[in-house]
Amino acid sequence: TALAALTPALLVLLIPHIRRHRRPLIIAGALFLVMGFIFQDALIAGFSRSSFRLDTWRATLEKTIPHLWWGQGYFCDTFALHIDALNMDIPHAHNVFIATLRDGGIVGVLLLSCALAASGWRAWRQALASKRYLNLALITFGVLALSFDNDRLVANPEELWVFFWYPLGRIMAQDLVREGQRGNSVTIPLIQ
């Protein structure tokens, strides 16, 4: 999934090098590519049983329905997910949004979505102001990579965990530097 998320992120980096009249075509192509990534498991599952993400998502959503508004709590048991069709126990939801719905309910998904939307908007504004699209590419990459693999964003540090938190940190830091709030180093005197 990380490799699949790389293509749209690279397209974002190409935005300043594309002529203005071709940008809608490139954006439409990027959206088509993203939709292909979103529905790739549906296509794979439709033709064979080698994909288990749709079954995992369905089973996770079925467990979530009784706790729809507030979720089951952040430290709920994720290992209790058994998929009868596959006769497997799945350790995580393979989608950070579905996992957030399970753990924090609709309120949690709204908070996560608002944080990502605000980060995306800030990254877009930074890109327009500085003509540097790295933060926008990183947030695009992170959101797509976490949409198909991972579970929790706080208590389970993994290699994909960095794909979410690093772009957010870069976006906040760039805004603070732009506003002149770099932070001051504090010198602590040694007591002798």
Side-chain angles (χ1 to χ4, degrees):
T1 58
L3 290 175
L6 190 60
T7 305
L10 290 174
L11 287 174
V12 169
L13 287 176
L14 291 176
I15 288 174
H17 305 292
I18 299 168
R19 294 187 180 147
R20 186 175 283 291
H21 68 279
R22 292 186 184 170
R23 285 184 187 172
L25 181 63
I26 298 298
I27 291 171
L31 288 175
F32 181 73
L33 209 65
V34 167
M35 296 309 285
F37 290 134
I38 290 172
F39 294 112
Q40 74 180 355
D41 273 340
L43 295 171
I44 291 170
F47 294 112
S48 70
R49 294 302 301 166
S50 62
S51 176
F52 57 87
R53 281 191 176 90
L54 289 177
D55 295 319
T56 304
W57 296 343
R58 189 177 312 121
T60 305
L61 289 172
E62 286 173 3
K63 284 187 71 171
T64 301
I65 289 178
H67 312 281
L68 196 57
W69 285 103
W70 296 102
Q72 298 177 30
Y74 195 74
F75 293 107
C76 68
D77 185 15
T78 61
F79 288 97
L81 186 63
H82 180 76
I83 299 175
D84 294 327
L86 301 172
N87 197 19
M88 294 174 65
D89 290 325
I90 303 294
H92 63 281
H94 285 281
N95 185 308
V96 75
F97 296 101
I98 292 175
T100 302
L101 182 65
R102 176 197 64 215
D103 298 341
I106 291 174
V107 173
V109 170
L110 286 175
L111 288 172
L112 176 63
S113 299
C114 287
L116 290 174
S119 298
W121 176 252
R122 291 304 313 151
W124 176 254
R125 300 294 299 166
Q126 290 170 0
L128 291 178
S130 68
K131 302 299 183 215
R132 295 182 186 144
Y133 287 77
L134 182 61
N135 287 346
L136 186 60
L138 287 173
I139 197 78
T140 301
F141 177 76
V143 169
L144 290 174
L146 293 175
S147 293
F148 301 103
D149 196 9
N150 212 340
D151 195 74
R152 293 193 169 136
L153 294 172
V154 176
N156 190 20
E158 295 176 341
E159 63 277 358
L160 294 178
W161 193 71
V162 175
F163 296 158
F164 176 78
W165 290 109
Y166 179 67
L168 265 60
R170 277 185 59 97
I171 292 165
M172 287 186 279
Q174 188 168 340
D175 276 349
L176 289 174
V177 167
R178 187 180 52 83
E179 293 173 8
Q181 301 175 8
R182 290 181 182 239
N184 301 322
S185 61
V186 177
T187 307
I188 300 174
L190 295 174
I191 300 174
Q192 297 182 3

